[in-house]
Amino acid sequence: MKHFSKAVILCAVVFLTAGCRNIILQDGRYNGRDRGEFAVVYKDLIFLRVKAAENIPGVL
C-alpha cells in the first residue's frame, strides 16, 4: 500500500507542476500548395478554404 500512495503522490506532483503551452498563430494568410487552398488567421478565428482532390475516384 505504501508504493501505491507514493505513486499517487508522485503522479499528482508531476501533474501539478507540468506547464501548459499556449500556441499563438500570427494574424495573416497562409497559402496552400497549388489548388488555391488557404487559411486566414484573425485573432482567435481561423478560416479555411480546402478543395477536394481531382481525379481520385471514390473520394467524397
Side-chain angles (χ1 to χ4, degrees):
M1 195 58 149
K2 283 185 176 182
H3 297 292
F4 178 73
S5 61
K6 285 183 181 180
V8 169
I9 292 171
L10 178 64
C11 288
V13 168
V14 169
F15 180 73
L16 292 174
T17 58
C20 295
R21 192 166 178 196
N22 189 9
I23 298 173
I24 299 173
L25 293 174
Q26 292 182 351
D27 291 349
R29 181 180 173 130
Y30 298 88
N31 292 320
R33 296 202 173 175
D34 57 348
R35 295 186 302 186
E37 300 171 334
F38 64 87
V40 176
V41 177
Y42 178 71
K43 300 195 187 243
D44 61 344
L45 301 174
I46 300 174
F47 301 95
L48 299 174
R49 178 180 180 201
V50 180
K51 289 187 172 183
E54 297 176 6
N55 299 326
I56 300 177
V59 176
L60 298 176

